[in-house]
Amino acid sequence: MVEPLLSLPIMERCIIQGDEFGNWTQLLQAILVSFAWFFDAQQTFISAFTDAQPSWHCTSSSSSSSDCNSFNNNLCNLPKGSWAWDLPPHTSVISEWSLQCDGSIITGLPASSFFMGCLTGGFLLSTLADSSLGRKNMLVISCLLMSISGAITVFSTNIWMYSFLRFLSGCGRATIGTSSLVLSTELVTNQWQSQVGILGYFSFTMGFLTLPAIAFITRGSSWRLIYLWTCLPAVFYSFLVHFFVRESPRWLYVIGQKEEVINLYSAIKMLLEKNWAFRRLVMVMCVGFGFGMVYYGMPLAVENLAFNNLYLSNTLNALSELPASLATFFLIGKLSRKGSLLGFAMLSGICSIGCCIVEGDKYFKLLQMGLELISYFSACTAVDVLLIYALELFPTCVRNSAVAMVRQTLVFGGALSPIVVAIGRNNNVKWFSYGVFGLSIITCGLFVVWLPETKGTTLCDTMEEGESKEVTLLFAN
C-alpha cells in the first residue's frame, strides 16, 4: 500500500493522507460544500417573483371602465380608479410601493443592485480565499452575509432600503459559488474533480426549481415570506459547513510552501504579472460577460414573452438546468472545452434571436417558448463548462481569484440584464431583451477561439507549472 501511495504526485498524497476516514468522507464533504449553490440560486433569481409586475384588471364598477378597456395595454395611461391589481398589493414590491410607472431604472434597481453587490463583493472578498481566509472560511462568511442580509430585507419600507439590502446580499453571494466550486474540487483527488465540480450545478438547479414552488405556495401573501423561506435555512447551513467541513488540503499545502501567497491581493498581482495568465484571464472574462447576460437575464425576461405564465415559465427554465447539468456531468470527460463552448454559444444566440422573430397565435407562442428553453439550456450548459474550464486554466495559488473574476464578468452581464428587461417591458418592445441577449452571447462566445484547450490535462499548483503547461499546450494546439 505504501509504494502506490509514494508513486502519486505530492498533492494527491496530501489529499489521501489528510483524510483518516477514507474517500467516502471526501465525497460527503464535497456534497455538503456544493449545496451552497442551492441557496445561491434562490437569491440570484428571487427577483423574478418578488419584483415582478402583478397582473391587473379593469374595474367594472368604475365610471372610467370604458377608458380602461380602450387602453388596457398600458397601465400608466389609465385614469385612477379604472383598474385594480388581481392580487393584494403586498404580493410584489412593484405593486406595494406603486412603482409600475416609475421607469426602467427604478423598477430594475433592486435586481441590478444585487448584481452590483456581487461585483463589489467579488472584488473585495474573492482574493481572501487565496490568501488569509482560505476556501472554507470564505464560504461560511459569504453564506452568512448573503442570508442575514436577505432576512433583514423583510423590514424594507421603500425601494431604496430594499435595493441597499439587496446590494449587501449580493456582496455576500459574490464568492459563494467560487469558494464552493474550488473547495469541493480541491477536497478530492484528480480522478473525481470534474464530476465533483458539477455537483454544485445540480444543487443550483434544485435551488432554482424551489423558487416557483415557494412563490406559488405563497401567492397572495407578502413577497417578504419568500425571503424568509429562503434565507433562514441558509443561516443554518453556514454553521453546518463550519463544523463539518475541513479546509482545502491543496490551499494549505500552497500556503505552507509559498509565504507570499498569504499577502492580500498577491494572487491578483501574479495573474497580472504573467502574460500568459493575464491573456487567458481577459479572454475567458470576455466569454463570461455574454454568457452571464443570457444566463441571468432570461429568467427575468420570460414575462416579456407572449407565453406569460410566470410560474410555469420559470419552472420550465429551472428544469432546463437539470439536463444541462446532466449533460455536463456525463460528457465533461469527452467534451472539447473550446468546441463545446463555441457551439452552445451559437445555438443559444440563434434561438434567442428567434424568440424575437416568432409571433402569432397559440402555436407560435409555444414555438417561442420552445426556442427560449433551448436558448436557456444552451446558456446553462455553456456556463457549466466555462467554470470547469476556468478551473483548468489556472494553478492552485491563483485559482480561486481567477475563477472569481470569471464569475464577476458573468455577474456583470447579469447586472445589465434587469435594465434591458425593464426597457423591453416598460416600452412594450418585447423583442429588445432577447435580441440583445442573442447578439451578446454570440459575439462574446467567439473569444474562446484565443484560449488553449485543456481537455485531459491535470491541474497544476504553482505559476511555474502553469507557465510550463502553457508552452506544452501551445505546441499541442
Side-chain angles (χ1 to χ4, degrees), residues 368-436:
Q368 186 186 59
M369 193 63 208
L371 288 171
E372 194 272 349
L373 289 174
I374 295 173
S375 179
Y376 189 66
F377 162 80
S378 301
C380 290
T381 310
V383 169
D384 291 351
V385 175
L386 178 65
L387 292 177
I388 296 295
Y389 188 31
L391 279 172
E392 298 170 344
L393 284 171
F394 300 97
T396 299
C397 58
V398 296
R399 183 172 298 126
N400 198 90
S401 296
V403 175
M405 292 181 74
V406 174
R407 288 199 86 213
Q408 287 293 83
T409 55
L410 286 166
V411 170
F412 185 55
L416 297 180
S417 61
I419 305 299
V420 173
V421 172
I423 291 173
R425 179 180 64 220
N426 293 349
N427 296 287
N428 207 26
V429 188
K430 306 293 186 182
W431 55 266
F432 182 82
S433 52
Y434 284 92
V436 172

Side-chain angles (χ1 to χ4, degrees), residues 67-344:
D67 294 332
C68 178
N69 289 317
S70 300
F71 300 98
N72 59 13
N73 282 329
N74 193 332
L75 186 63
C76 300
N77 291 335
L78 302 178
K80 291 182 179 180
S82 64
W83 62 274
W85 300 113
D86 290 347
L87 294 173
H90 59 242
T91 57
S92 168
V93 299
I94 300 294
S95 51
E96 179 172 332
W97 296 323
S98 302
L99 305 174
Q100 62 273 9
C101 299
D102 281 357
S104 307
I105 301 297
I106 298 299
T107 55
L109 182 60
S112 291
S113 295
F114 176 78
F115 289 117
M116 291 306 295
C118 292
L119 290 172
T120 305
F123 177 75
L124 295 176
L125 302 176
S126 61
T127 191
L128 295 176
D130 280 327
S131 54
S132 56
L133 285 181
R135 282 67 158 127
K136 173 186 167 180
N137 290 335
M138 190 73 262
L139 179 60
V140 172
I141 292 171
S142 297
C143 281
L144 283 174
L145 179 57
M146 180 190 72
S147 54
I148 292 174
S149 298
I152 297 175
T153 299
V154 302
F155 299 106
S156 299
T157 57
N158 54 60
I159 189 67
W160 309 110
M161 180 179 179
Y162 176 59
S163 297
F164 175 71
L165 289 169
R166 290 298 289 152
F167 175 85
L168 288 183
S169 184
C171 286
R173 180 260 173 191
T175 54
I176 288 178
T178 305
S179 299
S180 174
L181 178 63
V182 173
L183 177 57
S184 63
T185 54
E186 291 182 353
L187 283 171
V188 298
T189 58
N190 285 330
Q191 179 184 1
W192 299 105
Q193 279 167 348
S194 295
Q195 288 77 9
V196 164
I198 298 166
L199 289 175
Y201 304 159
F202 287 111
S203 296
F204 193 91
T205 301
M206 294 300 105
F208 190 5
L209 268 174
T210 59
L211 271 178
I214 293 173
F216 184 78
I217 291 171
T218 59
R219 69 190 186 283
S221 301
S222 173
W223 55 268
R224 293 169 171 84
L225 279 181
I226 304 179
Y227 278 100
L228 290 178
W229 280 38
T230 56
C231 292
L232 294 182
V235 175
F236 176 71
Y237 167 80
S238 302
F239 289 101
L240 283 180
V241 172
H242 176 72
F243 288 109
F244 293 104
V245 173
R246 64 173 180 151
E247 183 54 90
S248 162
R250 285 183 177 272
W251 178 77
L252 291 173
Y253 171 77
V254 172
I255 286 292
Q257 292 295 109
K258 287 188 169 289
E259 191 68 25
E260 69 269 18
V261 177
I262 64 172
N263 297 322
L264 190 63
Y265 295 118
S266 61
I268 301 296
K269 182 181 178 182
M270 285 188 281
L271 283 168
L272 298 179
E273 286 179 341
K274 299 290 185 179
N275 289 335
W276 64 269
F278 179 70
R279 184 172 60 254
R280 287 187 186 186
L281 186 63
V282 170
M283 295 302 171
V284 78
M285 286 173 69
C286 290
V287 175
F289 173 78
F291 287 11
M293 182 168 282
V294 177
Y295 182 68
Y296 292 117
M298 277 199 168
L300 301 176
V302 289
E303 60 180 311
N304 288 359
L305 294 176
F307 190 86
N308 56 4
N309 186 316
L310 184 62
Y311 302 106
L312 181 58
S313 298
N314 274 287
T315 299
L316 292 174
N317 272 332
L319 285 172
S320 67
E321 289 226 23
L322 186 57
S325 299
L326 286 171
T328 309
F329 182 82
F330 289 110
L331 298 177
I332 192 65
K334 302 176 182 179
L335 287 175
S336 159
R337 303 327 189 219
K338 294 175 63 174
S340 57
L341 285 174
L342 191 59
F344 284 121

